[in-house]
Amino acid sequence: AAAAAGSGDEGRGGGGGGRTTTTRPTGRPVEIARASVFTSYKKSTPSNSIRVNMFDDMADANYDVHLLETPEGSGEKCVDIQLAVEMLHYATVRDAYDVAILLSGDKDFMPALVRTRQKGKKVGIVSMRAGCNRALYETPNVKDFDVVWIDDFLDDLIVPIPEAELEGRGKPRSVSVFTVNKLLYDFCSSSPTGRRRASSRDVGRFLKSLRVEGGEGGSAATTSVLEEIKSGLGGLRQFLYDHADDDVLTVTDRNGDDHVKLGPGDNSYWIEAAAAVGAEELLVDEARRTNFTAAEKEFLREYGRTGRERMGEAAYYHTVLAEEAEAEARGEPPLVGPSSSGVSSSAFDSRAAGGGGGAEEAH
């Protein structure tokens, strides 16, 4: 959820955000006084994950980011309360803002909007049509302006994907999002270091070693799973950004103080599998929603029989090197040891056979 507060050049403006006070006209009808973002992340989320990095980038762009660390389970209501308190607090601060703009579609904010208006401030709402509760725009005395629908401005907000990449993503795929997630989860959770994570270089090699029928050349052709991800899903990193659930898989760039590069050309990153409890249930739910092709079903059956044979210690070569280098940098003993877990094929619906996964560079 997000909120923007602003003031008009000459008294109360209509609709945006602005500076807390203006002593002379600026030539603009609205000045942004404050742009606040409210969100949460689980305590187990790596500090250098894509999600945390995104909000760090917003903070660098002068957003007022309220990032709430929550225990495993929930935190949404705490975020909602934070936003409502912030809006009402500044509504009582003299000249803090004239207009509050709520970027949300949650009707739980209605009491805060009403109280903000009672404090003499104006209120606007920005939302998506499909995600906005009707009560927000049908209930009287909640807002001062018509809702601004983001849908109407998507052409201005979205950067188009290059046509060549779009053509690749539009091709029929031999593996579903579920299958890729399962392969990644199995491989990372079976790391011999016991840390449930693997280097993207090893992950890419493993995916390249897995062959699936029904590639671009037709039903008789075979292609690697890695090539399927590159041609139809934008590559491994893009797949993780678009389709990986933080409760199943997380990504951590190896460029922070706690990470050691294995060489000047090392652009690898960690892919980490979440704890089995909960993650496997999410994978099962995804499997039940997936319409598998005949080729994919056959691939999963074969994978269930032989997949783990590809997950010996040799498959984790770069993972072990990176773990040892980082442990040495921290002054700790190597963390290499037996895998603490693994996913059994019985954990999944019969429609999504067996378990095992693993590895190659896939940037």
Side-chain angles (χ1 to χ4, degrees):
S7 60
D9 253 1
E10 301 174 351
R12 314 235 171 210
R19 198 175 295 280
T20 56
T21 60
T22 52
T23 57
R24 57 175 172 235
T26 63
R28 290 173 289 189
V30 171
E31 286 290 308
I32 302 295
R34 181 177 292 99
S36 300
V37 180
F38 300 82
T39 188
S40 64
Y41 66 97
K42 292 182 174 62
K43 190 173 183 178
S44 59
T45 303
S47 60
N48 206 26
S49 68
I50 291 176
R51 178 177 178 81
V52 175
N53 282 337
M54 177 180 70
F55 291 112
D56 287 344
D57 289 342
M58 295 183 78
D60 291 340
N62 295 321
Y63 285 84
D64 186 10
V65 178
H66 299 255
L67 198 56
L68 180 67
E69 181 184 286
T70 62
E72 300 297 328
S74 65
E76 180 182 348
K77 290 304 176 186
C78 295
V79 171
D80 292 353
I81 293 170
Q82 270 195 319
L83 189 154
V85 169
E86 185 91 349
M87 183 184 294
L88 284 169
H89 166 70
Y90 282 108
T92 63
V93 175
R94 181 179 176 83
D95 294 327
Y97 69 80
D98 296 316
V99 182
I101 306 296
L102 174 72
L103 280 72
S104 177
D106 192 340
K107 71 175 183 178
D108 288 348
F109 292 116
M110 287 176 60
L113 296 176
V114 171
R115 291 295 186 185
T116 298
R117 295 183 75 240
Q118 290 173 351
K119 295 296 181 182
K121 306 299 182 181
K122 291 189 177 181
V123 168
I125 296 171
V126 177
S127 190
M128 300 283 285
R129 287 186 174 88
C132 186
N133 191 289
R134 294 179 62 179
L136 275 174
Y137 55 86
E138 291 186 349
T139 305
N141 303 319
V142 170
K143 61 189 185 337
D144 294 280
F145 312 96
D146 292 336
V147 176
V148 176
W149 299 112
I150 297 176
D151 315 52
D152 298 336
F153 301 93
L154 292 181
D155 289 342
D156 299 321
L157 298 172
I158 294 178
V159 177
I161 297 172
E163 190 170 330
E165 185 175 336
L166 272 178
E167 289 178 0
R169 292 191 185 190
K171 293 174 183 176
R173 299 195 303 267
S174 299
V175 290
S176 63
V177 168
F178 160 78
T179 294
V180 177
N181 272 324
K182 174 171 169 55
L183 296 174
L184 296 175
Y185 181 84
D186 287 354
F187 185 70
C188 295
S189 63
S190 299
S191 170
T193 68
R195 297 198 64 178
R196 301 181 65 84
R197 67 180 186 178
S199 165
S200 59
R201 299 182 70 179
D202 290 334
V203 172
R205 285 196 178 91
F206 174 74
L207 296 174
K208 189 174 183 179
S209 74
L210 296 173
R211 309 294 297 181
V212 59
E213 290 188 358
E216 186 177 341
S219 60
T222 63
T223 184
S224 73
V225 173
L226 181 61
E227 285 304 316
E228 282 287 284
I229 295 172
K230 287 181 176 179
S231 64
L233 293 164
L236 179 57
R237 185 65 181 256
Q238 188 65 43
F239 170 86
L240 289 163
Y241 186 81
D242 290 341
H243 301 289
D245 189 315
D246 286 347
D247 290 326
V248 179
L249 296 164
T250 55
V251 173
T252 304
D253 288 313
R254 295 183 54 245
N255 56 8
D257 294 338
D258 296 332
H259 303 291
V260 178
K261 293 287 188 181
L262 299 180
D266 181 11
N267 296 315
S268 63
Y269 49 91
W270 290 118
I271 305 174
E272 184 169 354
V277 177
E280 292 180 8
E281 293 179 3
L282 289 172
L283 286 171
V284 169
D285 289 341
E286 188 173 5
R288 290 169 179 161
R289 296 193 301 268
T290 301
N291 292 320
F292 296 96
T293 64
E296 186 174 14
K297 290 180 181 178
E298 180 56 34
F299 168 79
L300 286 169
R301 280 192 286 268
E302 179 63 21
Y303 170 73
R305 290 191 293 267
T306 65
R308 291 205 174 276
E309 296 174 5
R310 303 173 183 269
M311 295 167 59
E313 288 195 16
Y316 297 89
Y317 175 76
H318 294 95
T319 300
V320 172
L321 283 181
E323 292 283 20
E324 289 181 339
E326 293 187 7
E328 182 179 357
R330 294 190 298 266
E332 300 173 357
L335 297 174
V336 179
S339 176
S340 60
S341 67
V343 182
S344 66
S345 59
S346 61
F348 295 97
D349 188 288
S350 60
R351 294 168 58 193
E360 137 133 42
E361 188 151 13
H363 305 296

